[in-house]
């Protein structure tokens, strides 16, 4: 019975030696778009004209190859979220309003290629944090999030 055990051990050692070579030949899953590029995310916030700690915010998700872009803006002075799509892709847009750590309102919209910009106005109490989130329907292109808005 020792011969089969030796053969098993030799086979296992041979398999272990070959596995790194097989791994190098297999395509890696990197989370990149078909053209190999992740879209670039830019986001930020700035003090609002509303004052009292209110902050406007934005997210812009851009294809580095051709300049296609999707994005959204939050304007605290009139509590307005605007979504826009200047790309060949469909995008999902989320606006979340937080009171402390609790989500009190989630806004969801989507725009396909060529659809008109969409703006929606809210009436939330002052001091709520606002998260903007843009995600393309092809998840490998990544997403873009900003947490800097305040009503």
């Amino acid at each position: 019975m020792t011969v089969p055990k030796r053969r098993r051990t030799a086979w296992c050692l041979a398999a272990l030696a070959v596995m790194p070579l097989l791994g190098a030949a297999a395509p890696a899953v990197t989370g990149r778009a078909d053209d190999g590029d992740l879209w670039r995310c830019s986001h930020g916030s700035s003090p609002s004209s509303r004052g009292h700690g209110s902050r406007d915010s934005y997210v812009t998700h851009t294809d580095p190859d051709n300049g296609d872009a999707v994005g959204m803006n939050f304007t605290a002075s009139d509590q307005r979220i605007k979504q826009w799509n200047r790309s060949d892709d469909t995008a999902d847009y989320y606006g979340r309003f937080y009171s402390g750590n609790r989500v009190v309102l989630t806004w969801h919209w989507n725009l396909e290629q060529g659809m008109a910009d969409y703006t929606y106005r809210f009436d939330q109490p002052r001091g709520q944090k606002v998260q903007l989130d843009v995600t393309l329907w092809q998840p490998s292109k990544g997403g873009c999030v900003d947490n800097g808005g305040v009503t």
Side-chain angles (χ1 to χ4, degrees):
M1 291 281 178
T2 58
V3 174
K5 188 175 185 179
R6 284 185 195 161
R7 286 184 187 163
R8 244 189 337 253
T9 303
W11 183 86
C12 288
L13 289 174
L16 287 173
V18 173
M19 285 176 75
L21 299 174
L22 292 174
V29 178
T30 61
R32 298 195 180 276
D34 287 337
D35 60 4
D37 292 325
L38 286 172
W39 282 37
R40 271 186 295 229
C41 174
S42 59
H43 62 94
S45 65
S46 60
S48 173
S49 62
R50 183 176 193 183
H52 305 289
S54 295
R55 296 187 67 80
D56 298 337
S57 61
Y58 73 93
V59 294
T60 304
H61 203 76
T62 308
D63 184 340
D65 291 332
N66 61 16
D68 281 2
V70 297
M72 62 194 299
N73 305 63
F74 170 71
T75 306
S77 61
D78 58 358
Q79 292 195 22
R80 179 177 37 133
I81 290 182
K82 177 181 180 181
Q83 294 94 202
W84 50 272
N85 184 347
R86 311 280 182 276
S87 76
D88 294 335
D89 294 285
T90 299
D92 277 322
Y93 303 84
Y94 295 89
R96 294 178 186 91
F97 292 81
Y98 288 83
S99 178
N101 290 329
R102 185 174 58 91
V103 176
V104 294
L105 177 69
T106 298
W107 168 254
H108 175 239
W109 198 255
N110 81 6
L111 292 176
E112 296 177 7
Q113 172 190 3
M115 291 180 74
D117 298 352
Y118 188 79
T119 302
Y120 192 83
R121 292 188 64 175
F122 298 89
D123 187 20
Q124 294 297 111
R126 284 184 188 245
Q128 289 186 350
K129 296 189 185 253
V130 179
Q131 178 187 68
L132 302 178
D133 178 1
V134 175
T135 306
L136 295 166
W137 278 29
Q138 182 179 344
S140 63
K141 294 181 179 182
C144 195
V145 177
D146 183 81
N147 294 312
V150 179
T151 57

